[in-house]
Amino acid sequence: PDLMDFLLYSAYSNIFSREKLAGSLKKAWSSRFIIWRLENTRKYMRKALLQSRRFYAPKTIYDLARQASQLIHLGHQTGEGWFLTAEMLELIQHGAPNIACLQPFACLPNHIIGKGMFKEIKRFHPQANIVAIDYDPGASMVNQVNRIKLMLSVALKNI
């Protein structure tokens, strides 16, 4: 995810923790303010992108959370938690069903959260073509390239 969206996700997680897991009230209030401030700053960009024929406006963190909650519990906060699922759903809805989920040095977000949701995402979006690829010292380059080639061959077949 881009940095702004990851900050929004992190702030939203504090709100969720307060509401469902007895997290800190102070963190929840400051997180609500941070989200309000960042989303308020992004509203000008969002307004301009809504008028574009080429680009789409990013959803708010509340919209992403609502969308992801249909497939994954928002209590999943390890790695990139539910946010990785929300981003994949957003890409698919905007016409990009071919997703290479790349992670440097991070098995947890990619294989536990990301890969764990692939089957469920494909159940709701059969056109989805998603592959998880780790870029770390233990992964061979041949395996990485072959997985990308396989994903691309499925994408070409689906066109």
Side-chain angles (χ1 to χ4, degrees):
D2 62 50
L3 184 58
M4 176 82 72
D5 283 336
F6 190 75
L7 293 173
L8 288 165
Y9 157 73
S10 299
Y12 187 90
S13 292
N14 288 333
I15 296 168
F16 180 88
S17 292
R18 173 63 187 166
E19 291 174 356
K20 307 290 185 189
L21 305 171
S24 165
L25 179 62
K26 184 178 178 181
K27 280 185 179 180
W29 277 102
S30 62
S31 293
R32 284 188 193 281
F33 175 75
I34 289 168
I35 290 174
W36 172 81
R37 186 71 181 121
L38 292 176
E39 291 289 9
N40 197 39
T41 302
R42 287 175 20 143
K43 75 180 177 185
Y44 302 105
M45 173 195 63
R46 194 175 281 115
K47 184 179 177 182
L49 289 173
L50 282 172
Q51 297 172 0
S52 172
R53 289 183 294 161
R54 293 184 129 180
F55 303 102
Y56 66 90
K59 294 181 178 183
T60 68
I61 193 65
Y62 297 109
D63 291 336
L64 290 172
R66 202 170 12 264
Q67 180 178 317
S69 69
Q70 296 172 2
L71 299 181
I72 187 171
H73 194 276
L74 298 182
H76 289 280
Q77 297 178 4
T78 55
E80 290 165 8
W82 58 265
F83 189 64
L84 185 60
T85 302
E87 283 201 317
M88 288 188 280
L89 291 171
E90 186 178 25
L91 285 169
I92 292 167
Q93 290 171 351
H94 287 289
N98 302 301
I99 301 169
C101 193
L102 310 173
Q103 294 285 334
F105 310 110
C107 183
L108 182 67
N110 221 3
H111 285 285
I112 306 303
I113 303 297
K115 203 169 187 181
M117 291 307 301
F118 291 176
K119 185 176 181 180
E120 191 67 7
I121 290 172
K122 289 178 183 182
R123 190 166 69 87
F124 284 92
H125 301 281
Q127 76 279 18
N129 177 24
I130 310 169
V131 64
I133 302 169
D134 286 332
Y135 281 89
D136 58 27
S140 74
M141 186 174 154
V142 172
N143 187 353
Q144 294 162 340
V145 171
N146 284 341
R147 298 181 107 206
I148 292 171
K149 285 181 180 180
L150 181 60
M151 189 213 56
L152 289 173
S153 69
V154 171
L156 288 172
K157 187 176 86 173
N158 290 341
I159 287 180

